Amino acid sequence: MTSFIDSLAASEKTAVVIDIGHAYTKCGFAGNSSPRHIVPTTVSIRGETKRVFEDNLDLASLRERLTEFIRLVYYKYNIANCRERRVVIVESVITPTRIRHLLADILLKQFEASSLAFVSLHLGATYTLGRSTALVLDVGYIEAQIMPVAEGVPLAVQFDSLSCAGQAIHKQIESLLTQHASVTHQGRKKSFAEANIQLSEDTLEDIKVRCCFVSPFTRAQSYSKLSSDTTFKEAASTEYTLGPETIIHIPGVVREFACEVLFEQDIDGKSVATLILDALIQASLDLRRQFADNILVIGGTAMLPGFLHRLNAELKHLVNISTYVNKLAIREFHFHSPPAQLNYAAWLGGSMIGALDTLESQSILREKYLENGIVPDWFTGEQAA
Amino acid sequence: MTTLLNLHRVKYQCSCGSFKSLCYLYFCRHCLKIKCKDCVILEVDCRFCPSCYEHLQSHEAITRKNRCQSCFSCPCCNHTLVTRATNTSAAMPISLNTTSDSGNAGGGDADESISSTNVSGLQTPSKKVYYLACSVCRWSTRDIRLADQPTLNSWKAQDNIHEGRFNELLQHYKQIATREKQERDRKRYSTVKLRSALPTTTTSRSSSDKYGLLAPVTRRGIRTSGILKSPSVTESPNSTNPTIKPSDPITEIEPLDENLFLSNTFDFNKLTTITQRLNSVEIQPLTVDRLYPLAKHFTSKQSKRCKECDHNVLKPEPSPKLIKFKLHQMALFFIPEIRIWHHPAWSATESNPCVLSIVNQLDEQTILKLYTLDEIREENIDKDLIDRINQLDEYILTSQLTLPISKDRSIKLHPHVEPNETDTKLDDEFRQSDSRELVLYRKFAKIAIRCYIKLKSSSVKTILGAFIIEHRVVGISSIVSTPTATSSNPVTRNVRHIILIDFGPTDEPALTLHSSLA
């Protein structure tokens, strides 16, 4: 059986599977159990490294960057010819139409791929579990997206998203550092606000990945109820070296509570945990129990230490308070773990779909695209055929 | 002038309409057009390891997952790891006396090849053991407490622990998918309308995967199309389809490792950075002591092919060690190169005289004709060219470029020669026949011409001007009707190129005038 899979991987005609995220892109071949590379979604233009999906980019520059990026993915990372191969793009249901049209144009017209299939990442993730019903929550860089999948049908109408994810944590780190941290610059100690340092996204990401973690529920509750006399045992502080002359002293509160932004309820009372509960309320009654027993959390930000435990604790707490206690009868939640690291679980689903014989019926074929230029959309129901 | 050549100032127009510097362009000799990076298709020619140059065929490379077997990168800093050898004596039984031997496994890094003998004269076999070390960041396999290997090239890659489960799931879905595809194909080719057995339809609907998009289509399909003639298609032979075990929920979610994160001895330097984690995709270790040497990824050499005529434009040598090209049709070798030599301090109202230099890269003498945009418009022959000029003029150009001598400007260009060439006969000849107004300077393959720039309006910020050159190219005709012993008929044609020159901002000071031009 494994040799069959291996021979599939060794063929020249395996599909290429790419999951282009805002921060990182996972690329590899269909039928493999892990992507070949996970690379940041950046290109270097005239010597500078720039994000492909920067804000407020006009169509021509976006096209230039995306073309350059796809060229890199094919010839530097995957080392595969684009012509005569199928492509599978794993994407979210709410990817902007112009990006999907650009991708179709670049891949089918310019690089001459033989067919292109857009696979919903939430649906792909359920394949990795071997289940057809699940509530999938993807916590990425820009936003956290949740979508229920029932009996293999993605319920796109009940899709919801919230912008508390990696980028929000970065901003919170920056603001907490301004409030609490101090800096030793050229031997002299100052507060962070005085030192006026600009932290790049890469530095913030490094601080988030190495120094921060998600605080357990009980500690977070006691911190928020802090009064001036109760003592709170802070986590240890660290000294982060920024450059040859600068050291940032990051206090324990910043380390522990930067990720609170995911679980703090904002003005509308929403947080990552309420996303799940609201999705359950919106789902039809007969499916609720099934969804609550099959929750799948994927995405790079969900790999933060302590994330899942905290999410579970938050859910158990929220179902007992006023907003949800009357609407939802469920008191217990069960999570699943995919056979992959969480940041490429969606890619893995795409890899499975890309290895199936039914891929062709799901894709946009090159000849058809050159004739009619239609890129089917999840919500309009345009068909490719 | 901050850079000597100022490559990005002078741009040529490619056949797709974009403007690029000459060094980035290719020239297809079959369609006789300039091609840029976006007009060519890349194909992978050869895959090889960048450190040991091991060259693999494509199917072999794919089975090895595009990784070298013998070269490894340091997981900390991504430089190549060096294999170091050290001697270790084999563990001998107690009866033998002490050995006067060389270093043990805990220490040195220099190559020692002394074999040890012990007192009784028996040769204690001392084995060479190997370990990997990085010469840049000083990481080594001993840091992760990996045992030294007795043979070279025995470093095994780490396995993916989820591979078994993934393969199981994939097999299951493949069976469902093949079954569905067979059904769909049969339904497509059916002619006889038979009432379908109801159980068949319901089982196929619920157990096969229906993606949201295709649900309405297939529903329609089941109702309208008939089914198969042979009843043997009913699912009985496939009832042996083993259903896989769907994944179990996590029984106990592990809480945060408080000892690691909350304790006072937390050292964030012991945790891996995100780049280090993503380098080993399957494992993604959290702590530094679980990093493992990474097998080096292959790189590739690509050949480029023109989209229109499907002929190769650039073809490298297949061997990874050779950097030459089999086919090297760069635009630089066919088209004369134009550079800015001098421009005065810009005045907004008058005509500014500038000097451009033209360098001939061909090995034979050519005749170059220069045209201004207006002249081409007057000629009115090539509609496509005129369209392009008009587009350019309207949106991009900010100044008008005129050339001295009212018409019929043709300049003879000397063939490209070595720098120490002394035969000036041809050069002198050409110099005699030059018009002093147009050609200011000539030396072998390089000439300088004068042109005049008039800004379109005084609010112009950067000065962009354009003109057209025409020269002859010898192409390769792709159609050989009768196979002849001699080479196919070369096709020669005059081609025209639009050249866009960015002279820079209006407030740039004048370039210094070369003494030979004064």
Side-chain angles (χ1 to χ4, degrees), chain A residues 78-155:
Chain A
N78 271 358
I79 310 188
N81 278 327
C82 192
R83 244 183 184 180
E84 318 294 318
R85 264 190 203 265
R86 302 183 182 279
V87 191
V88 174
I89 299 260
V90 179
E91 52 145 24
S92 143
V93 173
I94 56 166
T95 312
T97 314
R98 64 182 187 143
I99 295 184
R100 301 171 94 241
H101 279 268
L102 262 185
L103 275 173
D105 197 45
I106 294 173
L107 282 166
L108 292 171
K109 273 210 191 127
Q110 197 165 342
F111 285 91
E112 301 189 6
S114 60
S115 74
L116 169 62
F118 285 108
V119 167
S120 154
L121 72 92
H122 296 90
L123 179 64
T126 63
Y127 276 65
T128 61
L129 292 182
R131 286 179 178 272
S132 52
T133 308
L135 183 62
V136 183
L137 172 66
D138 172 33
V139 193
Y141 178 71
I142 297 277
E143 53 194 359
Q145 300 174 348
I146 189 167
M147 185 156 80
V149 177
E151 298 294 330
V153 177
L155 302 174

Side-chain angles (χ1 to χ4, degrees), chain A residues 1-2 4-5 8-12 24 29 31-38 67-68 71 75-81 83 85 109-112 123 126-131 151-154 205-206 209-216 219 233-236 238-241 255-256 293 303 305-306 308-309 312 334-341 343-344 348 351-352 355-358 361-362 376-378 383, chain B residues 37-44 46-47 58-59 61-63 65-67 160 162-178 180-181 184 206 208-217 220 244-251 253-256 258 260-275 277-279 281-284 286 297-300 302 305-307 310:
Chain A
M1 185 175 83
T2 32
F4 170 65
I5 305 287
L8 184 71
S11 138
E12 293 255 357
Y24 286 97
F29 293 95
N32 287 74
S33 56
S34 71
R36 290 285 161 86
H37 288 94
I38 300 183
T67 321
E68 186 57 42
R71 199 177 284 134
Y75 294 102
K76 181 172 170 195
Y77 297 119
N78 271 358
I79 310 188
N81 278 327
R83 244 183 184 180
R85 264 190 203 265
K109 273 210 191 127
Q110 197 165 342
F111 285 91
E112 301 189 6
L123 179 64
T126 63
Y127 276 65
T128 61
L129 292 182
R131 286 179 178 272
E151 298 294 330
V153 177
E205 189 183 37
D206 194 34
V209 161
R210 290 204 283 167
C211 306
C212 298
F213 56 93
V214 180
S215 163
R219 279 182 65 94
K233 187 166 175 298
E234 274 188 22
T238 56
E239 322 246 306
Y240 185 85
T241 322
R255 281 183 58 214
E256 197 170 349
D293 282 338
M303 289 173 79
L308 202 56
H309 183 81
N312 195 20
H334 293 112
F335 295 87
H336 284 263
S337 147
Q341 299 284 341
N343 52 5
Y344 65 86
L348 200 67
S351 162
M352 280 203 222
L356 300 178
D357 291 332
T358 46
S361 54
Q362 275 186 287
D377 211 317
W378 298 101
Q383 300 296 324
Chain B
K37 197 164 62 159
D38 297 324
C39 314
V40 294
I41 300 179
L42 284 83
E43 282 170 0
V44 176
C46 107
R47 293 156 214 261
S58 52
H59 60 94
I62 295 178
T63 30
K65 296 205 169 182
N66 283 349
R67 285 179 201 225
N160 187 3
H162 302 295
E163 186 139 5
R165 170 74 176 155
F166 172 77
N167 286 334
E168 206 185 290
L169 286 165
L170 188 59
Q171 278 299 85
H172 168 71
Y173 282 118
K174 268 178 170 316
Q175 284 174 351
I176 299 179
T178 348
E180 184 179 312
K181 186 163 187 229
R184 192 175 298 148
S206 60
S208 57
D209 18 60
K210 293 290 189 225
Y211 317 111
L213 276 185
L214 297 179
V217 179
R220 246 182 282 139
I244 41 124
K245 191 163 81 74
S247 85
D248 291 324
I250 307 174
T251 41
I253 305 175
E254 50 174 88
L256 180 71
E258 306 219 342
L260 183 59
F261 289 101
L262 293 177
S263 75
N264 282 338
T265 55
F266 175 73
D267 181 13
F268 74 95
N269 285 316
K270 290 222 181 67
L271 297 183
T272 49
T273 64
I274 189 112
T275 332
R277 280 182 217 185
L278 296 180
N279 274 337
V281 173
E282 297 151 5
I283 315 287
Q284 292 188 29
L286 185 64
H297 282 277
F298 281 169
T299 51
S300 64
Q302 297 120 31
R305 203 178 267 273
C306 167
K307 265 197 201 160
D310 227 30

Side-chain angles (χ1 to χ4, degrees), chain A residues 9 13 20 48 116 119 122 196 201 207 234 243 249 311 381:
Chain A
K13 293 302 159 210
I20 307 185
E48 290 173 18
L116 169 62
V119 167
H122 296 90
N196 210 14
E201 279 295 313
I207 295 179
E234 274 188 22
H249 304 277
L311 186 62

